[in-house]
Amino acid sequence: MSMRWIVGLLIDAPERIARRWHWLGPLLARITVGWVFLWAGWGKLGALPQVIENFRGWGVPMAEVMAPFVSGLEFVGGILLLCGLFTRVIAALLMVVMVVAIRSAFWSEIDSLEYLLGLSEMAYLAIFLWLALAGAGTVSLDSLLQRSARKPASTDARISQPAVQ
């Protein structure tokens, strides 16, 4: 067995297959975390007094402001992720929410890397990081808006505009 054969079989062939399905990873990631955060935010918005108390107990500053802000961000962010709209910005904002959640709600309980990496918030953080860096993918409103913004102006529109000298 040569190195070329191993690379061809275990790296190049899966890469060719993955190119055909590149759109599926970001789509499933967005749908999964979008759905979770839409409903998490909605639940928090419906129970704001308890959420404010939780934030106070975790030592989150300005709990009366931060609880509705985070709840609304999760709800609206979930909707935007489902649509694939402003994905990188929303994912970055939700990454911050996850870091604050880990630091505020779980930090005192973390006694090992195993415990930290086992938190669902860490999994969400990893997905949000990937979406913030990779973007929404081709099946998204982000991609549709980018494609439409890159289309050249129609010939009629260019003819009807006076030339600037």
Side-chain angles (χ1 to χ4, degrees):
M1 247 189 291
S2 73
M3 181 63 71
R4 181 175 289 177
W5 184 82
I6 292 170
V7 168
L9 179 67
L10 300 177
I11 298 174
D12 294 340
E15 185 176 330
R16 281 191 301 278
I17 294 167
R19 275 192 217 124
R20 300 190 82 148
W21 298 95
H22 73 278
W23 56 271
L24 190 56
L27 177 64
L28 289 178
R30 287 189 300 99
I31 289 172
T32 301
V33 295
W35 187 256
V36 167
F37 277 79
L38 179 156
W39 289 108
W42 181 253
K44 288 175 185 165
L45 287 169
L48 270 178
Q50 182 59 47
V51 175
I52 291 169
E53 285 306 310
N54 289 344
F55 275 40
R56 280 191 191 124
W58 294 326
V60 175
M62 300 184 311
E64 297 79 13
V65 174
M66 294 306 292
F69 174 75
V70 168
S71 302
L73 177 61
E74 289 181 0
F75 177 67
V76 173
I79 293 169
L80 292 174
L81 286 173
L82 286 170
C83 299
L85 184 60
F86 312 129
T87 301
R88 285 188 165 103
V89 173
I90 294 301
L93 290 171
L94 290 171
M95 279 175 52
V96 173
V97 170
M98 291 300 95
V99 169
V100 171
I102 291 167
R103 179 66 179 100
S104 301
F106 300 104
W107 202 249
S108 63
E109 301 170 23
I110 296 173
D111 59 358
S112 66
L113 184 60
E114 179 182 3
Y115 184 87
L116 176 64
L117 295 178
L119 294 172
S120 60
E121 288 77 8
M122 278 300 294
Y124 294 134
L125 180 62
I127 293 170
F128 291 140
L129 175 61
W130 179 58
L131 288 171
L133 295 175
T138 54
V139 182
S140 66
L141 289 178
D142 284 349
S143 181
L144 179 68
L145 289 172
Q146 285 177 316
R147 286 191 307 269
S148 67
R150 288 186 191 123
K151 284 184 181 174
S154 71
T155 307
D156 295 337
R158 282 183 270 152
I159 292 171
S160 66
Q161 295 174 353
V164 178
Q165 297 184 10

